[in-house]
Amino acid sequence: MATSAFITRLRSLAPLSEADVSAVERVEMKRFTFQRRQDVLSKGMKPTFVYILLSGWAARYEARRNGSRRITGFLLPGDFCGIHAVCDASMDHSIIALNDCIVGTIQREAMGAIAKASQPIFDAVWRAKLAEEAILRKWLVYAVDAHQSVGRLLCELYARADAVGLTSDGSCEIPLTQEMIGDALGLTPVHVNRMLQKLRAEGLIELHDHELKILDAANLEMVAEFEPSYLQPWH
Amino acid sequence: MATSAFITRLRSLAPLSEADVSAVERVEMKRFTFQRRQDVLSKGMKPTFVYILLSGWAARYEARRNGSRRITGFLLPGDFCGIHAVCDASMDHSIIALNDCIVGTIQREAMGAIAKASQPIFDAVWRAKLAEEAILRKWLVYAVDAHQSVGRLLCELYARADAVGLTSDGSCEIPLTQEMIGDALGLTPVHVNRMLQKLRAEGLIELHDHELKILDAANLEMVAEFEPSYLQPWH
DNA sequence: CGCCCTTTTGAAGAAAATCAAGGGCAGTGG
DNA sequence: CCACTGCCCTTGATTTTCTTCAAAAGGGCG
């Protein structure tokens, strides 16, 4: 069952046949657990395995000289976290577990073999990469206004959680502190707090105890200029 | 000779054999020219070809609701500009020619075939993608301070131009206006101007008539917190 | 010459950072 | 059982950075 998030994610990226699914299920995968705040992969490492987040949340981040850090992406169950192995590259950033995580690893050659053997799997892997890059671009494009940035991030995370079945009835768990949100958006936690209060006052969201509820999706997406097609780049 | 920038770029990404080089040279490539300010690819298109910039500069950009645009990446000769075809995805952003450009296109299947047949070519394509993603991440990480951002961008562009032989003696052509730099960094052209003046006053750079000269590389990289290894993710 | 595009300069205003401090809550240990 | 500690959220006051608005100057070109 631990591969289910991975399969769900791949299926959200390309239409897998039964044979594709069983090929993915049969591939040898080692599992590791990581505790909150533990590095899954560190900058400079050259992984020989492809890493996949099976449960829990993680973040890509980089430290700056002045001691601050910037989060450059959130990883949800089913996401690749270290695809670098496929081309023998080393990590230009680190990945940290945001809560307790289970991570699966697949040997570079085994991953390459199933991707070469099946066009849908090949497509899914590339599309996952393109989606990740598209997310980075959106973070840049909409990094102008703090109110909008915070709103957008919540839209994005909700949509991504939804794609792997982690939402129910307009709610989902967001295991992030306001400081982490600030590290992701380049804002101070103080300012994130004020923007969240504004979104709450506008009746757009509820967010308590790491539980997000979207109260008014249409207006939130309007305010946040959010349009989810970039998360599914093949449509 | 028009494929030379592409070959140079691939060679900077992975050690290609003679057979690899001739495989790339033999692949059927159609060439197109684009004039300054013309879209090479537009948001929403689903290209069936892989696009490669052979000469000139281009930029990835996205328009915002308020009419402003954000540049999310610069493309130099040799860079892939529409790799989306490999997995049948549509463009989530547009690409515009910044000066007169020549673009080559390779059919999806032909590109897939040479990448499957040769591990170095396969690696080069993936590494190009990872390098591009790494650049996006750095833009986010160092988007805090305007002085540093401008300095970093110049470092990055110089290093990338150098990788494809477009520098000489510490100088290179940067066909960007201050407004374009602002669109890339999320700054107003007015503020870009002031930051450039500051970098000039500090004796770090010269920049006149789109000609950049790095006067003090060591101090510029220090100020800009620039460390070029992310451009070569396999090292 | 006159027009457009780009760069440059100045002054005022807004968004977000910084600095500072208090409060709630869970876990820990005396 | 309660005090203590650490983490996270919240609020207020001040300061900095960058934007906005406005205008002028330089250069290329029809």
Side-chain angles (χ1 to χ4, degrees):
Chain A
M1 293 307 291
T3 56
S4 63
F6 184 38
I7 302 275
T8 305
R9 176 71 179 126
L10 289 178
R11 292 196 112 132
S12 79
L13 289 161
L16 301 196
S17 68
E18 285 309 308
D20 293 328
V21 171
S22 71
V24 174
E25 281 170 341
R26 272 200 319 276
V27 79
E28 192 188 337
M29 185 189 273
K30 290 210 179 77
R31 285 174 186 71
F32 299 92
T33 61
F34 291 88
Q35 302 197 326
R36 184 172 145 92
R37 287 172 206 264
Q38 199 178 351
D39 264 14
V40 174
L41 283 165
S42 299
K43 184 169 172 171
M45 283 179 63
K46 199 171 195 171
T48 56
F49 293 85
V50 172
Y51 284 64
I52 295 140
L53 188 59
L54 298 175
S55 77
W57 285 43
R60 301 180 188 276
Y61 76 95
E62 242 171 292
R64 294 225 314 288
R65 197 167 50 194
N66 67 8
S68 71
R69 73 170 186 184
R70 175 83 187 222
I71 289 175
T72 58
F74 291 110
L75 299 168
L76 273 62
D79 284 335
F80 288 101
C81 47
I83 197 79
H84 285 61
V86 299
C87 62
D88 200 29
S90 50
M91 297 293 293
D92 61 292
H93 61 277
S94 301
I95 296 178
I96 191 170
L98 297 177
N99 51 16
D100 293 355
C101 288
I102 301 171
V103 171
T105 63
I106 298 176
Q107 202 128 25
R108 168 194 177 157
E109 292 77 12
M111 190 70 227
I114 60 172
K116 273 187 186 170
S118 156
Q119 185 68 39
I121 295 178
F122 177 94
D123 285 352
V125 174
W126 266 100
R127 288 170 179 180
K129 201 71 205 144
L130 290 182
E132 210 181 305
E133 210 185 297
I135 290 170
L136 274 169
R137 270 193 286 267
K138 300 293 174 189
W139 282 27
L140 272 176
V141 172
Y142 296 97
V144 180
D145 176 60
H147 179 235
Q148 205 181 29
S149 296
V150 175
R152 272 192 72 84
L153 181 63
L154 297 178
C155 286
E156 179 207 306
L157 294 176
Y158 183 85
R160 290 173 61 193
D162 196 49
V164 284
L166 293 175
T167 60
S168 70
D169 198 25
S171 294
C172 78
E173 201 209 338
I174 304 266
L176 306 177
T177 64
Q178 295 180 1
E179 186 181 12
M180 290 171 188
I181 294 173
D183 285 346
L185 301 177
L187 301 171
T188 58
V190 171
H191 206 58
V192 170
N193 183 279
R194 294 192 229 257
M195 295 302 107
L196 284 173
Q197 286 181 53
K198 196 170 171 191
L199 290 168
R200 282 192 277 246
E202 291 164 334
L204 300 175
I205 61 157
E206 267 177 17
L207 180 58
H208 297 295
D209 299 327
H210 299 169
E211 194 72 19
L212 170 70
K213 188 171 178 73
I214 308 281
L215 295 178
D216 184 348
N219 273 316
L220 179 58
E221 293 183 3
M222 213 269 289
V223 164
E225 218 168 320
F226 180 79
E227 198 274 309
S229 64
Y230 69 97
L231 296 170
Q232 308 197 324
W234 57 99
H235 277 157
Chain B
M1 291 310 291
T3 57
S4 64
F6 184 37
I7 302 276
T8 305
R9 176 72 178 126
L10 290 177
R11 292 195 112 131
S12 79
L13 289 161
L16 302 197
S17 68
E18 285 309 308
D20 294 328
V21 171
S22 71
V24 173
E25 281 169 342
R26 272 200 319 275
V27 80
E28 191 187 339
M29 184 189 275
K30 289 210 178 77
R31 283 174 185 71
F32 300 92
T33 60
F34 291 87
Q35 302 197 326
R36 183 173 148 92
R37 289 173 205 262
Q38 200 179 352
D39 263 14
V40 174
L41 283 165
S42 299
K43 183 168 174 171
M45 285 178 62
K46 199 170 193 170
T48 56
F49 293 83
V50 173
Y51 285 63
I52 295 140
L53 187 59
L54 298 176
S55 76
W57 284 43
R60 301 180 189 277
Y61 75 95
E62 241 171 294
R64 293 226 316 288
R65 196 168 50 195
N66 68 7
S68 72
R69 72 169 188 185
R70 175 83 186 222
I71 289 175
T72 58
F74 291 110
L75 299 168
L76 273 62
D79 284 334
F80 288 101
C81 48
I83 196 78
H84 285 62
V86 299
C87 63
D88 201 28
S90 51
M91 297 293 294
D92 61 292
H93 62 279
S94 302
I95 296 178
I96 190 170
L98 298 178
N99 49 18
D100 293 355
C101 289
I102 301 171
V103 172
T105 64
I106 299 176
Q107 203 129 25
R108 172 194 175 157
E109 292 76 12
M111 189 71 227
I114 60 171
K116 271 187 185 168
S118 156
Q119 186 68 38
I121 294 177
F122 177 94
D123 284 353
V125 173
W126 266 100
R127 288 171 180 179
K129 201 73 205 139
L130 290 182
E132 208 181 308
E133 207 185 298
I135 290 170
L136 274 169
R137 270 194 286 268
K138 300 294 174 187
W139 281 27
L140 273 176
V141 172
Y142 295 97
V144 181
D145 176 60
H147 179 234
Q148 206 181 28
S149 296
V150 175
R152 272 193 71 84
L153 181 62
L154 297 178
C155 285
E156 181 207 305
L157 293 176
Y158 182 85
R160 290 174 61 194
D162 196 49
V164 284
L166 294 174
T167 59
S168 70
D169 197 26
S171 293
C172 77
E173 200 209 337
I174 304 266
L176 306 178
T177 63
Q178 294 180 3
E179 186 181 12
M180 290 172 186
I181 294 174
D183 285 346
L185 301 176
L187 301 171
T188 57
V190 172
H191 206 57
V192 169
N193 184 279
R194 294 191 228 257
M195 295 302 107
L196 284 173
Q197 287 181 54
K198 196 171 169 190
L199 291 168
R200 284 194 275 245
E202 290 165 335
L204 301 175
I205 60 158
E206 266 175 19
L207 180 59
H208 297 296
D209 298 327
H210 299 168
E211 192 71 21
L212 170 70
K213 187 171 178 71
I214 308 280
L215 295 177
D216 184 347
N219 273 315
L220 178 58
E221 293 183 4
M222 213 269 289
V223 163
E225 218 167 319
F226 180 79
E227 199 274 307
S229 64
Y230 68 96
L231 295 171
Q232 308 198 325
W234 58 98
H235 277 158

